[in-house]
């Protein structure tokens, strides 16, 4: 490659059960029969479990996977259910559930222990770039390439509020964070701004400037 760095492709270390990476310039073993036990495309997001012993990876191959923190190995098989790349993964504060957002415009809530799908949150009209639980665990907030910021009741999968578009980002919304007190969310977008929102009175508190490119 022009950068002088060879591309990487995943292979399976059959002896240890741990995924590793090798340069395309060296001989590669056949791994097609093992693909269902690994993620084989870009990893878009990572998140620790609340206990810190499990890492979840969200992949472009439409899967998410639970990994041992000790050695990085996938616990079981990657889990699938989205029709597009998984762009974000977020543990419930109590650790029993997991939320993923995807290029298929949907957010899904999963039971961690079984992988069972609990809820699908629908409403976005473009890829959902990020979704986060509020610290209370009952609500979630999501952002999307459709420029919207939405608040959800997780148990009912119902959208409870959408911040007014005229106050929002002038372009794609890429990331979101929530405050520990459940009262504030912060979003970043392609318009180079960071916006701070008060979720109690549903207002824009301030706009942070300074970035010269996408946030």
């Amino acid at each position: 490659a022009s950068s002088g760095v060879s591309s990487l492709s995943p292979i399976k270390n059959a002896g240890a059960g741990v995924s590793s990476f090798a340069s395309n310039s060296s001989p590669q073993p056949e791994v097609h029969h093992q693909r269902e036990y690994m993620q084989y495309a870009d990893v878009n997001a990572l998140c620790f479990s609340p206990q810190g012993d499990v890492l979840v990876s969200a992949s472009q191959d439409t899967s998410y996977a639970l990994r041992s923190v000790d050695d990085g190995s996938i616990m079981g098989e990657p889990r699938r259910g989205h029709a597009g790349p998984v762009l974000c993964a977020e543990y419930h504060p109590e650790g029993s559930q997991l939320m993923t957002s995807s290029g298929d415009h949907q957010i899904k809530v999963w039971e961690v222990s079984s992988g069972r799908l609990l809820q699908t949150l629908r409403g976005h009209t473009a890829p959902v770039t990020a979704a986060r639980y509020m610290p209370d665990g009952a609500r979630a907030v999501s952002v999307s390439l459709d420029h919207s910021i939405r608040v959800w009741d997780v148990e009912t999968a119902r959208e409870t509020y959408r911040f007014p578009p005229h106050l929002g980002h002038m372009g794609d919304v890429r990331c979101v964070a929530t405050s520990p007190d459940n009262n504030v969310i912060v979003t970043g977008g392609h318009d180079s701004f960071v916006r701070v929102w008060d979720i109690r009175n549903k207002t824009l508190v301030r706009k942070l400037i300074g970035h010269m490119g996408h946030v």
Side-chain angles (χ1 to χ4, degrees):
S2 59
S3 62
V5 180
S6 57
S7 59
L8 300 178
S9 60
I11 61 173
K12 190 76 170 181
N13 184 330
V18 181
S19 295
S20 59
F21 290 90
S23 170
N24 283 336
S25 61
S26 59
Q28 304 272 323
E30 283 292 330
V31 295
H32 300 293
H33 63 287
Q34 297 174 335
R35 268 188 147 190
E36 63 270 27
Y37 301 109
M38 59 190 296
Q39 292 177 305
Y40 52 89
D42 296 349
V43 174
N44 294 318
L46 297 166
C47 179
F48 279 106
S49 65
Q51 296 76 23
D53 57 341
V54 178
L55 181 70
V56 59
S57 56
S59 176
Q60 194 75 10
D61 68 5
T62 75
S63 77
Y64 73 93
L66 306 181
R67 296 176 178 269
S68 167
V69 171
D70 292 334
D71 60 12
S73 61
I74 293 178
M75 303 162 63
E77 300 179 13
R79 300 174 177 183
R80 290 179 168 82
H82 283 288
V86 183
L87 303 177
C88 181
E90 170 87 350
Y91 265 97
H92 187 277
E94 295 179 355
S96 60
Q97 297 178 9
L98 182 72
M99 182 168 58
T100 55
S101 67
S102 172
D104 64 6
H105 308 178
Q106 297 181 356
I107 303 160
K108 293 183 182 292
V109 180
W110 313 84
E111 184 179 63
V112 173
S113 60
S114 66
R116 181 169 60 97
L117 178 64
L118 301 176
Q119 293 284 12
T120 299
L121 283 55
R122 299 181 175 90
H124 282 290
T125 58
V128 184
T129 48
R132 296 279 181 261
Y133 282 104
M134 297 296 294
D136 60 19
R139 295 171 295 168
V141 58
S142 62
V143 296
S144 168
L145 300 189
D146 65 12
H147 305 183
S148 71
I149 304 164
R150 308 182 189 216
V151 180
W152 306 82
D153 181 302
V154 177
E155 184 176 0
T156 63
R158 185 173 63 90
E159 180 185 321
T160 60
Y161 186 72
R162 191 182 313 180
F163 284 92
H166 70 279
L167 296 178
H169 292 274
M170 304 297 290
D172 301 340
V173 191
R174 304 293 302 198
C175 54
V176 60
T178 60
S179 68
D181 63 5
N182 287 296
N183 295 330
V184 175
I185 64 172
V186 182
T187 57
H190 270 203
D191 58 5
S192 305
F193 296 128
V194 175
R195 283 176 162 80
V196 182
W197 308 87
D198 189 319
I199 206 166
R200 295 164 299 181
N201 54 27
K202 304 177 176 61
T203 58
L204 177 66
V205 177
R206 63 179 58 93
K207 182 170 65 174
L208 309 181
I209 62 175
H211 286 290
M212 302 300 293
H214 302 160
V215 180

